[in-house]
């Protein structure tokens, strides 16, 4: 090295170093655009190491983290970016997307509002704002945002689809269908639009159109599991069990551990009367996902049909709903009630049901609602009926206040109940379809009661009472229930049937042989019951059996029933299978029946009362749970304890050797006895006495902080 020359190694041009972050950022963007998220995130970090305040790098790094599933990192990074460049409308809009994904919907609306204040023509900000508003159940405002987004970007299918969802939530079904149709017109392969369109058709009970949309979604092939599950649900709702089974099986071939598909497959087996297999499938679904609400509710139902199921196990499954679903809601939402603790004032009673319509459950609670003493009780009906009918309108006319809850979120409904100052809130659904147990979990009323519609216990410790009777719920079993049991003359009644529908003549007198019958759901006709019925038919070789239920319209169900009897030596010509009909025709079938046979282990409640009102006695077998004792409870309330059997042998003995003169006298005189003992007026007075007693207990009891703490811990 020559003297006087510097020994330092020459460095690169300083201008080159200044451009290095730009080059790295360009490389990161290319990686990001090609979906190489891990490499892109690494490249963005290198940019930020050299230029920590580079807004573009922070913005897109945040998006890469969000797209990689690292939501909180994405939000934090985007917040840093907005501190550097608060005037970026796109960054505020992207923040809205991330906050929606984080279920922080109110914050998401605010972020989108900031974006739109900066750039009123940013279509995606309107779309994101609409999604956030819809998630807050502010559907009308959401539609306005979607409409604005569509004005600016009319070819965006997601906006049309999301708009359809908001319209559906508001019950504007025709407009929703049109919105989905527009999304499909723009993108014929938009399977989500087909699925959503099918859901609206299903809500409208336009099942053929719904199935066609599901089939189109399946043919597109992007979401075979989601579309298949929805299709199976529809088929099961249509009572097409065979095709529902096939669809569930196809879904499970694609995704063997699909929890919804396993649950639905269990429901299919329950519909065919195989409760044991159904319970096994529901249990498997819950092993995979313990908090899957549909599987918990389905298992509750399937266990009620299992011959070996104990009351302890049944109530434990109901408690599972509370620990997995209800308790977290209570912790987040429950507030002590502030009702006026005057024990003698006029009470506000709220009834919650999706069955204020032509439905068997309505026949049990309508007499009470109609016969309330309005000087002592204000009646508020919270209706979940999607498609009202004449029965719905009659209920609405009867109510002091009518609230359509079909489009209310659980929190909105709870707030409405508090606003109405309801003192006694009555659940009429239990765990059956359309229930709002999530609202009851919030404890919006001081006294909460479950009754009639599915009065088998809910498992919710915030449900204070279950209306029952000593036969349906024996004293020795009551410690298994979450609710306190309040005894009435009967656990359930029904409204009196028109006298002209019945006949006082015994069919035996014109036929010369006994005709047995059961007008219950096919799912109640267990193998154990069919075995006993087959033995009865064998013991009385001239007898006939009539079975009637709308599920019998399904050829697969008909075939399964006949095969079960054939396997037990009973020829098909001795069995008459009848499907759906008008209610009058359904009940007038009882004119052909000498003696009804109650199924087991799940017995008839409403159906037993209906038979008795029509003058037809019912043989019922006493089980070990509410669902298997309700028929016997009805017989005891009606003064017919001699038709209650303790075991199979006694059941066959009662049915095979009936006292024909007694059957004739029952057809002539039982109706008057029922009206006197369990008629609507007398029964409603007993219910009102129950409500007043419950209310006085609450008025005399201070708020229990220890119980509240236990409930918040899920106990």
């Amino acid at each position: 090295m020559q003297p006087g020359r510097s020994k330092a190694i020459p460095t690169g041009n300083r201008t080159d170093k200044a451009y290095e972050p730009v080059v790295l950022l360009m490389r990161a963007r290319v990686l990001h655009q090609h979906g190489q998220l891990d490499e892109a995130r690494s490249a963005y970090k290198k940019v930020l190491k050299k230029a920590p305040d580079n807004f573009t790098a922070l913005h897109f790094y945040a998006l890469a983290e969000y797209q990689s599933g690292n939501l909180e990192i994405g939000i934090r990074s985007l917040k840093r970016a907005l501190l550097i460049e608060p005037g970026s409308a796109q960054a505020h809009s992207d923040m809205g997307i991330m906050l929606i994904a984080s279920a922080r919907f109110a914050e998401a609306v605010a972020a989108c509002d900031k974006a739109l204040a900066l750039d009123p023509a940013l279509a995606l900000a309107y779309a994101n704002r609409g999604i956030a508003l819809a998630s807050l159940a502010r559907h009308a405002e959401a539609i306005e945002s979607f409409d604005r987004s569509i004005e600016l970007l009319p070819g965006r299918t997601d906006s049309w689809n999301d708009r359809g969802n908001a319209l559906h939530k508001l019950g504007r079904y025709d407009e929703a269908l049109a919105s989905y149709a527009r999304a499909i017109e723009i993108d014929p392969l938009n399977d989500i639009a087909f699925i959503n369109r099918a859901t609206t058709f299903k809500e409208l009970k336009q099942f053929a159109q719904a199935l066609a949309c599901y089939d189109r979604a399946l043919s597109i092939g992007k979401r075979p599991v989601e579309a298949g599950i929805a299709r199976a649900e529809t088929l099961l709702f249509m009572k097409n069990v065979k095709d529902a089974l096939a669809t569930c099986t196809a879904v499970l071939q694609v995704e063997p551990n699909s929890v919804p598909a396993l649950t639905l497959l269990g429901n299919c087996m329950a519909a065919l009367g195989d409760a044991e297999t159904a319970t096994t499938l529901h249990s498997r679904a819950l092993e995979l996902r313990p908090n899957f609400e549909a599987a918990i509710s389905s298992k509750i139902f399937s266990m009620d049909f299992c011959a070996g199921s104990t009351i302890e196990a049944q109530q434990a499954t109901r408690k599972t709903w509370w620990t997995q679903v209800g308790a977290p809601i209570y912790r987040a939402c429950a507030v002590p009630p502030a009702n006026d603790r005057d024990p003698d004032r006029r009470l506000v009673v709220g009834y919650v049901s999706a069955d204020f319509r032509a439905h068997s459950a309505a026949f049990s609670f309508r007499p009470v609602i109609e016969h309330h003493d309005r000087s002592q009780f204000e009646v508020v009906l919270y209706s979940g009926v999607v498609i009202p009918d004449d029965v719905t309108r009659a209920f609405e006319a009867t109510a002091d206040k009518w609230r359509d809850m079909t489009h209310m979120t659980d929190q909105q409904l709870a707030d409405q109940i508090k606003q109405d100052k309801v003192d006694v809130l009555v659940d009429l659904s239990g765990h059956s379809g359309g229930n709002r147990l999530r609202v009851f979990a919030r404890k919006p009323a001081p006294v909460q009661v479950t009754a009639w519609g599915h009065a088998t216990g809910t498992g919710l410790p915030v449900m204070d009472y279950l209306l029952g009777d000593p036969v349906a719920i024996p004293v020795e079993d009551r410690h298994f229930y979450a609710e306190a049991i309040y005894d009435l003359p009967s656990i359930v009644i029904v409204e009196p049937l028109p006298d002209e529908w019945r006949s006082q003549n015994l069919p035996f007198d014109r036929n010369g042989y006994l005709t047995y019958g059961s007008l219950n759901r096919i799912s109640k006709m267990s193998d154990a019951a069919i075995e006993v019925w087959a033995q009865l038919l064998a013991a009385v070789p001239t007898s006939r059996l009539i079975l009637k239920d709308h599920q019998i319209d399904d050829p697969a169900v008909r075939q399964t029933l006949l095969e079960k009897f054939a396997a037990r030596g009973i020829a098909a010509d001795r069995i008459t299978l009848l499907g759906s009909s008008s209610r009058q025709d359904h009940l007038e079938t009882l004119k052909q029946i000498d003696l009804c046979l109650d199924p087991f282990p799940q017995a008839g409640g409403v159906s037993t009362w209906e038979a008795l009102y029509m003058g037809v006695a019912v043989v019922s077998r006493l089980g070990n749970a509410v669902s298997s004792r309700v028929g016997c409870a009805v017989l005891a309330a009606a003064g017919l304890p001699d038709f209650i059997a303790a075991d199979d042998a006694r059941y066959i003995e009662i049915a095979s050797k009936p006292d024909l003169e007694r059957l004739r006298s029952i057809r002539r005189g039982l109706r008057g006895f029922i009206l006197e003992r369990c008629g609507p007026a007398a029964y409603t007075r007993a219910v009102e006495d129950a409500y007043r007693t419950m209310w006085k207990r609450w008025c005399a009891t201070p708020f229990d902080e220890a119980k509240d703490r236990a409930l918040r811990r899920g106990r």
Side-chain angles (χ1 to χ4, degrees):
M1 187 171 292
Q2 297 177 1
R5 188 179 292 269
S6 171
K7 297 180 181 179
I9 300 173
T11 60
N13 189 299
R14 290 185 179 180
T15 305
D16 292 341
K17 282 191 172 293
Y19 278 108
E20 188 174 352
V22 177
V23 174
L24 288 171
L25 181 57
M26 290 174 62
R27 180 173 180 273
R29 291 289 293 124
V30 170
L31 292 167
H32 197 166
Q33 289 165 359
H34 284 81
Q36 296 172 256
L37 293 177
D38 289 341
E39 294 86 346
R41 286 157 56 210
S42 178
Y44 286 131
K45 287 179 181 178
K46 290 178 181 178
V47 175
L48 292 169
K49 188 173 182 181
K50 295 179 179 294
D53 294 333
N54 187 306
F55 165 76
T56 303
L58 276 169
H59 184 180
F60 288 108
Y61 170 65
L63 289 175
E65 289 289 3
Y66 158 67
Q67 291 163 352
S68 299
N70 303 318
L71 185 55
E72 289 307 313
I73 296 174
I75 291 173
R76 287 199 303 270
S77 300
L78 193 51
K79 282 182 177 179
R80 280 181 57 202
L82 284 166
L83 288 173
I84 296 166
E85 187 60 65
S88 171
Q90 186 60 56
H92 283 292
S93 180
D94 290 341
M95 178 62 80
I97 295 173
M98 294 187 196
L99 291 168
I100 289 168
S102 190
R104 292 155 63 177
F105 303 118
E107 294 176 67
V109 172
C112 293
D113 286 342
K114 289 178 182 177
L116 292 166
L118 292 163
D119 183 359
L122 190 57
L124 291 181
Y126 280 110
N128 295 335
R129 183 175 184 272
I131 293 169
L133 287 166
S135 300
L136 292 168
R138 293 162 59 181
H139 301 297
E141 296 172 75
I143 292 166
E144 291 178 2
S145 275
F146 291 133
D147 285 344
R148 184 67 180 122
S149 175
I150 288 167
E151 286 176 18
L152 295 164
L153 200 61
R156 186 172 185 268
T157 57
D158 287 349
S159 294
W160 287 102
N161 193 39
D162 293 334
R163 179 178 182 271
N165 293 341
L167 288 162
H168 177 103
K169 290 290 186 182
L170 288 177
R172 293 161 59 180
Y173 299 123
D174 289 342
E175 294 174 77
L177 290 171
S179 199
Y180 297 136
R182 180 62 181 133
I184 292 166
E185 183 182 347
I186 295 167
D187 178 8
L189 298 181
N190 189 327
D191 61 330
I192 287 293
F194 278 108
I195 292 171
N196 290 335
R197 186 170 164 82
T199 301
T200 301
F201 278 130
K202 181 183 174 185
E203 195 87 326
L204 292 168
K205 294 184 168 48
Q206 297 178 19
F207 299 120
Q209 295 93 320
L211 288 176
C213 286
Y214 287 133
D215 289 342
R216 182 69 183 103
L218 284 168
S219 71
I220 292 169
K222 296 178 184 177
R223 294 170 180 81
V225 173
E226 183 178 347
I229 288 168
R231 183 178 190 273
E233 285 178 338
T234 304
L235 288 163
L236 194 55
F237 192 84
M238 296 169 65
K239 316 304 177 189
N240 186 343
V241 181
K242 180 180 178 181
D243 287 350
L245 273 168
T247 304
C248 287
T249 302
V251 170
L252 288 167
Q253 288 174 347
V254 176
E255 188 177 319
N257 288 331
S258 168
V259 171
L262 287 166
T263 302
L264 276 172
L265 186 61
N267 294 347
C268 290
M269 300 310 297
L272 291 173
D274 189 349
E276 283 72 18
T277 300
T279 301
T280 300
L281 288 163
H282 296 145
S283 297
R284 173 59 182 154
L286 290 170
E287 288 173 7
L288 295 167
R289 197 189 306 175
N291 64 346
F292 188 59
E293 189 172 358
I296 299 172
S297 295
S298 294
K299 185 177 179 181
I300 286 169
F301 277 95
S302 60
M303 286 185 70
D304 284 354
F305 290 87
C306 290
S309 178
T310 65
I311 184 64
E312 183 177 8
Q314 290 175 2
Q315 293 304 314
T317 302
R318 287 160 169 79
K319 186 178 179 180
T320 299
W321 188 95
W322 170 254
T323 57
Q324 293 291 341
V325 181
I329 294 171
Y330 182 88
R331 282 195 295 272
C333 304
V335 177
N339 297 51
D340 176 13
R341 289 179 183 261
D342 179 350
D344 300 314
R345 65 175 172 81
R346 185 181 187 226
L347 297 181
V348 180
V349 179
Y351 291 96
V352 182
S353 177
D355 294 324
F356 294 125
R357 57 191 176 93
H359 186 276
S360 60
F363 306 140
S364 67
F365 52 72
R366 183 162 64 176
V368 174
I369 292 170
E370 289 180 339
H371 285 79
H372 266 307
D373 179 354
R374 298 310 170 91
S375 70
Q376 294 296 313
F377 297 90
E378 176 185 340
V379 176
V380 186
L381 302 186
Y382 299 92
S383 171
V385 176
V386 176
I387 302 177
D389 56 20
D390 290 342
V391 175
T392 309
R393 287 180 277 276
F395 271 114
E396 184 174 0
T398 302
D400 292 303
K401 293 178 182 175
W402 175 265
R403 307 296 190 203
D404 182 351
M405 64 178 185
T406 51
H407 306 303
M408 291 186 191
T409 65
D410 294 329
Q411 190 57 52
Q412 286 173 333
L413 178 54
D415 291 342
Q416 182 65 63
I417 290 164
K418 291 178 182 178
Q419 184 179 328
D420 290 333
K421 298 181 179 179
V422 172
D423 302 306
V424 180
L425 187 66
V426 186
D427 156 57
L428 298 174
S429 301
H431 285 276
S432 63
N435 75 75
R436 299 303 292 263
L437 290 180
R438 285 170 164 265
V439 173
F440 283 84
R442 289 163 164 79
K443 198 66 163 74
V447 178
Q448 299 194 154
V449 183
T450 184
W452 306 314
H454 184 228
T456 59
T458 61
L460 277 66
V462 292
M463 197 72 77
D464 303 293
Y465 295 95
L466 165 61
L467 299 184
D469 68 39
V471 176
I473 310 175
V475 173
E476 60 269 23
D477 289 344
R478 297 187 174 188
H479 64 284
F480 293 123
Y481 290 82
E483 308 90 347
I485 312 302
Y486 193 104
D487 287 325
L488 294 175
S490 173
I491 190 172
V492 66
I493 65 165
V494 295
E495 58 192 12
L497 302 174
D499 194 45
E500 60 269 21
W501 288 7
R502 69 190 186 99
S503 169
Q504 296 190 22
N505 300 315
L506 194 66
F508 178 87
D509 293 335
R510 65 174 181 271
N511 296 329
Y513 57 81
L514 283 170
T515 302
Y516 302 110
S518 184
L519 276 62
N520 284 275
R521 295 199 307 271
I522 293 300
S523 54
K524 290 187 177 185
M525 299 178 190
S526 65
D527 287 348
I530 288 173
E531 175 66 33
V532 168
W533 293 350
Q535 291 180 34
L536 171 62
L537 292 170
V540 188
T542 60
S543 63
R544 302 289 187 272
L545 175 63
I546 296 174
L547 302 178
K548 189 175 190 304
D549 179 50
H550 57 77
Q551 283 187 313
I552 291 176
D553 291 336
D554 184 342
V557 172
R558 295 174 66 89
Q559 182 179 350
T560 299
L561 274 174
L562 293 175
E563 286 175 351
K564 286 182 177 182
F565 279 101
R568 294 164 172 82
I570 305 301
D573 61 4
R574 295 185 63 191
I575 301 169
T576 300
L577 299 180
L578 302 175
S580 55
S581 68
S582 69
R583 186 171 187 238
Q584 181 175 345
D585 288 345
H586 177 79
L587 293 173
E588 287 189 345
T589 304
L590 290 159
K591 292 179 179 180
Q592 307 172 42
I593 295 170
D594 295 293
L595 185 61
C596 277
L597 305 176
D598 210 12
F600 55 86
Q602 186 167 93
V606 169
S607 62
T608 302
W609 270 123
E610 288 175 335
L612 298 180
Y613 265 116
M614 294 290 285
V616 182
V618 182
V619 182
S620 191
R621 188 186 188 284
L622 194 64
N624 61 0
V626 178
S627 57
S628 59
R629 299 177 70 91
V630 63
C632 297
V634 169
L635 289 169
L640 299 176
D642 48 319
F643 287 88
I644 297 174
D647 54 33
D648 294 350
R650 179 59 180 156
Y651 188 105
I652 294 171
E653 181 182 2
I654 294 169
S656 63
K657 301 174 183 178
D659 181 337
L660 296 179
E661 188 52 43
R662 177 142 166 74
L663 294 184
R664 294 185 188 102
S665 68
I666 287 171
R667 293 186 91 92
R668 293 191 298 267
L670 183 61
R671 178 185 174 87
F673 180 82
I674 292 172
L675 288 172
E676 180 181 347
R677 188 164 180 173
C678 285
Y683 190 81
T684 302
R685 297 292 83 77
V687 171
E688 291 177 339
D689 288 345
Y691 293 163
R692 182 63 65 180
T693 299
M694 296 169 187
W695 176 250
K696 288 183 175 180
R697 288 175 183 170
W698 182 80
C699 289
T701 306
F703 179 69
D704 190 338
E705 293 185 5
K707 180 180 178 180
D708 178 66
R709 287 194 297 271
L711 290 172
R712 292 182 187 279
R713 291 195 296 269
R715 296 180 182 176

